[in-house]
Amino acid sequence: MRLVIRNARRLDVGKMAIIEDGPLVAEAGKIVSIGEDASADVEIDAKGSFMLPGFIDAHVHFRLATLDFAKLQRWSEVEFGIVMAQLAKETLRRGFTTVRDLGGDVEGLMRAIKAGAAEGPRIIRAGRMLTQTGGHGDAESGPRPVPTCACEMRHTAFGIVADGPDAVRKAARHNLRDGSDFLKIHVSGGVASPADPLESIQYTAAEIAAACEEARHRQTYVAAHAYSAESIIMAVENGVHTIEHGNMIDAGAAACMARCGAVMVPTLSTYEAMDLLGRKMGFPEANLVKNSKVLEAGLRSLEIARDAGVTLGWGTDLIGESQARQRREFAIRAEVETPEEILRSMYEVNPKLCGLSGEIGTLTPGAVADIVLTKVNPLEDIAALGGDDAIERVIQAGRPID
């Protein structure tokens, strides 16, 4: 199928400028030309709208399909599948044509999307998260028997509990064998988990190094959930490539990240969403207190990282019902960043994290024809991309989404 889009104002990501350079032609899912007319099987008159590359969210969780964590403990795979498919469909229709899933079993969802049984974005996945006993990714509730040996491992659809370098290595190899594009570990406490203080340090240098070595052997990398400065430093000094969240970073940790060439993926919209929805969804008071702390620190963490020269990606980490607020991240970051900085995070940094540089995040010949049409000029008012009516059309791999 040949798609032709006429009368659009294209965002040139390389120049970070709006260009009016004639029709865009896509065939077999890829952009084949810009500025050269052609006959069309499907033609779209953009009528002066702005044409952007498809949005890329570098931190999602389709397996965390609801903010009601009690449901997550008792849902069947059928229930998970139904809700995850709906979340994926809504994500695509918000303009996100590629996402990086940071933990949980999404194999079935990916297969359904590939087979055409479900609509959804292109998914780059970490697979099951790796965590220590009592860590942020230890999702089982209720009493559990004492392990019979130090290397004993437990797992759910969300993560693998692995203690010690050998167990972490085994868990990493398992995920990579099962198709994980990269690995995800936890090195600090979290907001949603009940058993670990926010400031707690999780995993040791040796455990982190084991995961990073296995990733490196497969030509990929490790992402680490981390809030505190100490956990960030320990992670990047032992090989972690991306720090997810990073809200409690300080100048020393930021300098360490910059020196090591690590990337930070802020996820500020999720803390705002949990502040607004958490009590309604039954979040315990202790979790709400933790959320308030990282919410307050969020914008300052961006400034600290940016001033130190840390490369920033673009993510949201929204859970279940709150995923509808996905484009809100544009407005939050616009409080301290320029539109150009935000767009480069999404369109230049995120493709590298997905291993798809040159294929996504750009409207140039040879790239995948992932396109968003909007009345919003992102270089003038990027916050407006969060509006309910901001997106006019979404095209995924040359196919208009109805």
Side-chain angles (χ1 to χ4, degrees), residues 55-57 91-92 94-99 121 314 326-327 346:
F55 298 147
I56 307 161
D57 190 336
T91 295
L92 179 60
R94 281 191 291 273
F96 291 87
T97 52
T98 303
V99 299
W314 195 102
Q326 201 168 18
R327 295 199 310 268
M346 173 174 280

Side-chain angles (χ1 to χ4, degrees), residues 37-252:
D37 210 344
S39 60
D41 298 309
V42 176
E43 182 171 320
I44 295 175
D45 183 354
K47 299 179 180 178
S49 292
F50 296 92
M51 182 167 61
L52 317 181
F55 298 147
I56 307 161
D57 190 336
H59 194 124
V60 305
H61 285 284
F62 283 131
R63 176 57 75 159
L64 294 176
T66 177
L67 280 164
D68 185 339
F69 290 171
K71 286 183 178 178
L72 291 179
Q73 298 291 334
R74 63 176 184 265
W75 268 353
S76 68
E77 278 298 295
V78 172
E79 290 167 300
F80 269 112
I82 292 169
V83 177
M84 289 166 66
Q86 184 62 32
L87 291 174
K89 178 180 179 179
E90 292 167 356
T91 295
L92 179 60
R93 289 169 184 269
R94 281 191 291 273
F96 291 87
T97 52
T98 303
V99 299
R100 177 173 167 259
D101 192 289
L102 263 290
D105 180 8
V106 293
E107 171 70 22
L109 176 62
M110 292 175 65
R111 288 167 58 184
I113 292 171
K114 184 176 181 180
E119 283 189 345
R122 181 180 301 102
I123 300 174
I124 308 301
R125 58 170 163 166
R128 289 181 172 89
M129 303 173 281
L130 307 187
T131 185
Q132 69 175 50
T133 297
H136 181 54
D138 188 350
E140 290 181 283
S141 62
R144 291 174 292 278
V146 176
T148 57
C149 71
C151 63
E152 187 173 313
M153 298 158 63
R154 294 180 285 111
H155 76 276
T156 64
F158 307 102
I160 302 173
V161 178
D163 296 300
D166 288 342
V168 170
R169 191 180 301 277
K170 182 74 170 179
R173 288 174 176 174
H174 175 86
N175 273 0
L176 292 166
R177 182 198 66 178
D178 279 6
S180 291
D181 297 297
F182 63 102
L183 299 174
K184 163 80 175 297
I185 64 174
H186 296 89
V187 299
S188 81
V191 171
S193 46
D196 54 338
L198 196 62
E199 296 83 358
S200 65
I201 308 300
Q202 299 176 14
Y203 272 154
T204 62
E207 289 168 319
I208 295 169
C212 291
E213 182 177 46
E214 292 304 318
R216 188 171 63 253
H217 287 173
R218 294 287 284 264
Q219 292 79 52
T220 188
Y221 64 90
V222 173
H225 162 104
Y227 285 120
S228 69
E230 183 180 352
S231 66
I232 291 169
I233 291 171
M234 180 178 65
V236 299
E237 286 187 341
N238 286 282
V240 164
H241 181 55
T242 71
I243 294 296
E244 310 297 317
H245 320 304
N247 294 51
M248 295 158 64
I249 196 170
D250 63 17

Side-chain angles (χ1 to χ4, degrees), residues 323-339:
Q323 286 187 20
R325 302 176 62 85
Q326 201 168 18
R327 295 199 310 268
R328 171 68 181 149
E329 188 79 16
F330 287 115
I332 295 173
R333 290 184 60 162
E335 294 184 40
V336 296
E337 290 185 287
T338 67

Side-chain angles (χ1 to χ4, degrees), residues 10-19 340 344 348 379:
R10 177 176 66 94
L11 175 65
D12 185 316
V13 173
K15 296 177 180 178
M16 204 51 72
I18 300 298
I19 307 292
E340 290 83 0
R344 290 194 190 284
E348 293 185 354
L379 295 176

